[in-house]
Amino acid sequence: MNRVVKWMILSPLLLAWVLLLLLVVLWSASRLMTPTAADRAALALLQAPVPTDGSNAFARLWLLDYDIPTADRDGVAAQDAQRLRDALTADPAELSPALPQDSSAHGHYPQVTVDAEAVAWCGLREGDCLAHVRAHREALAARLAQEASLLQRVRSLAGYGYVRSEFPPSLDTPLPPLRQLAISPTRSALDFVAGNPSAAFRASCTDVSTWRRLASNSDNLVVSMVGMALLDANARLLAQMLAERPLAEPLPAACRAAFDPALPPLDLCMAMQGEAASMFALLDRLDAAPRRLTEGAWYGLTTDVMRTKARMARSYVPACQTRTRELLARDAPLPPVREFEPVDIFGLDCIGNAAGCVLAGMSAPNQSKYLLRLQDTQARLRLTGLLLDLSAQAAGPAPAPTALAAAIAAIAAQPPHLRAIAFDVAGGQLQIGLRDTSKGALWSVPLPATHLAHPAAAAPAAAVVAD
């Protein structure tokens, strides 16, 4: 009887010890086995420097709102970066401290001020810039005259090679005044409407060259996406201007340079590296935060920063992988990218880092939408380049629709690959399907003025001419 009682008392304790021993073994195995070789490779790729050419546009972009002498600009940007570092170190226990969102230039240098009633610049993602300018021509001309120095600063970005933030990485780092960038296509549209098409084409094509370079070589995803939007806006504006362009008006050399097929494809690796760096900075801040003894012990058992970074790298790295970049360059369909990394805290890779696995799963970005936008922007640029080729080749009367379709097919068949182009003879437009359908399923552009005079009955209403 005593043996039975003793066994009843001891067996739960023995089971508890066995379970505890098993948990220790599994926890140790998890810490020893992870991160995997693939995770380490992804982390290394995200932290590898991306080669860049030219000078850094960060200070110019960050301080667009201010009329600052060139000799002072870098010093002001450095002072702003130091203010952010001071704010991040002032309270190490706060994971998301309040950071200054304006520049130290405020109150010391002339600054752009916008009247709340002022007519807005042309929209970047949608709308008809020429129609907007024609509807508000006098008001926009007055505003552009008033903000001529801002336009000069925006267009001076053409002299830079990349955008690498000088601010410490943080999820709360302030953004440059990106809304001001829309002044340039607005000015181009006004030049065209005012009878100066050469200046309009030259500036718009220069903007394309500028933002092909800066959007692909920025370590901030928002800057890259706004850069893509500027490329979309200028592609649409160029197509609209070509549809109204005087037949004998030659295209400036800037347009040939901007749409050279040999230019490198758009890229988002550097932007995703910047996104990952901000998340990694948060993890480092979490790791360094002061804790009581029991909190520290629990944190140490459930969180390993290095393993969490490696797991996070799975979600950020696709844009930097060779295979993805090849697909993007060829405009080929991309494999689906998971928005959230599935988490099994009882899986061997998470037992030793349970809290870190949950955090990594919650923070995964939805890369698909950004990569699809990149592909759509590349397709828009390619189609605009096709329009420029058609316009440059035009001589004499407009060709018959069947000959025009053949010419479009011949140009579109040249590498790199482009998705199918629909030729709408009746509407005098070319169309491509979009992969990011949040703003519509199709992108349509009018044919150049040299090719618009065709009877609708001369050919089928729509024909796919490239694949």
Side-chain angles (χ1 to χ4, degrees):
M1 186 67 173
N2 289 340
R3 287 181 179 179
V4 173
V5 172
K6 287 181 179 180
W7 178 251
M8 292 176 65
I9 294 173
L10 293 175
S11 58
L13 295 175
L14 181 61
L15 180 60
W17 278 106
V18 170
L19 291 174
L20 179 61
L21 178 61
L22 178 62
L23 184 60
V24 170
V25 170
L26 290 173
W27 184 91
S28 301
S30 177
R31 286 289 173 105
L32 289 172
M33 293 177 63
T34 57
T36 65
D39 287 347
R40 290 195 298 271
L43 185 59
L45 191 56
L46 277 179
Q47 295 177 329
V50 175
T52 53
D53 293 320
S55 53
N56 188 2
F58 174 75
R60 168 57 91 190
L61 189 61
W62 165 244
L63 296 169
L64 275 181
D65 272 346
Y66 299 93
D67 193 0
I68 301 175
T70 303
D72 296 351
R73 190 188 310 134
D74 289 343
V76 173
Q79 183 177 347
D80 292 342
Q82 186 59 51
R83 291 169 69 209
L84 290 174
R85 282 190 287 270
D86 292 344
L88 285 169
T89 57
D91 187 0
E94 177 59 56
L95 290 183
S96 183
L99 301 181
Q101 298 296 305
D102 60 350
S103 171
S104 57
H106 184 72
H108 299 283
Y109 296 93
Q111 182 179 2
V112 172
T113 56
V114 180
D115 188 335
E117 303 299 321
V119 177
W121 305 131
C122 288
L124 297 183
R125 281 292 181 191
E126 52 192 312
D128 184 331
C129 191
L130 289 181
H132 178 69
V133 168
R134 284 177 173 131
H136 306 282
R137 180 172 172 176
E138 291 185 4
L140 285 171
R143 184 178 175 189
L144 283 161
Q146 182 181 357
E147 300 184 19
S149 61
L150 171 63
L151 177 67
Q152 184 275 326
R153 293 194 294 273
V154 168
R155 289 188 168 173
S156 73
L157 291 167
Y160 295 87
Y162 61 95
V163 184
R164 179 167 285 146
S165 178
E166 297 171 9
F167 292 166
S170 169
L171 294 180
D172 301 312
T173 298
L175 288 169
L178 300 174
R179 66 192 181 281
Q180 305 289 27
L181 298 172
I183 190 176
S184 189
T186 305
R187 175 76 252 184
S188 298
L190 183 63
D191 282 339
F192 186 83
V193 169
N196 192 357
S198 294
F201 276 100
R202 187 181 306 109
S204 191
C205 288
T206 299
D207 279 353
V208 169
S209 292
T210 299
W211 287 101
R212 286 185 89 138
R213 185 172 59 253
L214 296 184
S216 294
N217 294 281
S218 167
D219 64 354
N220 185 291
L221 183 58
V222 177
V223 172
S224 289
M225 287 295 104
V226 172
M228 301 283 180
L230 278 160
L231 290 173
D232 294 347
N234 279 287
R236 184 172 58 247
L237 177 59
L238 282 165
Q240 292 171 331
M241 293 192 299
L242 283 170
E244 301 182 19
R245 168 177 167 260
L247 302 188
E249 183 71 33
L251 289 171
C255 291
R256 291 193 297 273
F259 292 91
D260 184 345
L263 288 172
L266 298 174
D267 194 83
L268 279 182
C269 178
M270 192 172 170
M272 284 300 169
Q273 284 184 327
E275 288 292 293
S278 295
M279 282 303 305
F280 294 168
L282 177 64
L283 289 176
D284 290 338
R285 192 170 182 84
L286 175 67
D287 196 48
R291 294 178 181 83
R292 292 190 293 268
L293 182 62
T294 54
E295 291 175 337
W298 180 251
Y299 173 83
L301 289 170
T302 61
T303 310
D304 184 287
V305 167
M306 187 269 288
R307 287 169 173 80
T308 303
K309 288 180 180 179
R311 189 176 179 89
M312 282 183 176
R314 302 177 192 177
S315 301
Y316 289 94
V317 80
C320 295
Q321 292 173 325
T322 301
R323 175 59 176 161
T324 304
R325 285 168 140 174
E326 290 175 349
L327 294 173
L328 290 171
R330 291 191 289 111
D331 197 33
L334 299 174
V337 180
R338 289 173 174 169
E339 184 172 356
F340 296 103
E341 182 73 19
V343 176
D344 178 10
I345 62 172
F346 298 107
L348 189 58
D349 58 339
C350 284
I351 288 178
N353 186 32
C357 281
V358 172
L359 183 58
M362 293 171 58
S363 64
N366 181 4
Q367 277 209 29
S368 291
K369 66 179 182 180
Y370 302 118
L371 297 178
L372 293 180
R373 285 180 189 173
L374 179 150
Q375 282 195 314
D376 285 343
T377 296
Q378 284 192 151
R380 289 182 178 102
L381 292 176
R382 178 81 196 288
L383 185 55
T384 307
L386 187 153
L387 294 176
L388 290 165
D389 287 345
L390 286 173
S391 183
Q393 291 175 8
T402 52
L404 178 57
I408 293 170
I411 296 173
Q414 299 170 7
H417 169 82
L418 178 71
R419 65 193 74 179
I421 303 172
F423 173 30
D424 179 359
V425 178
Q429 292 190 326
L430 300 182
Q431 296 178 331
I432 54 172
L434 299 178
R435 300 210 170 118
D436 172 22
T437 57
S438 60
K439 299 293 185 182
L442 294 173
W443 193 64
S444 302
V445 290
L447 283 167
T450 48
H451 295 82
L452 284 175
H454 303 303
V464 174
V465 297
D467 190 7

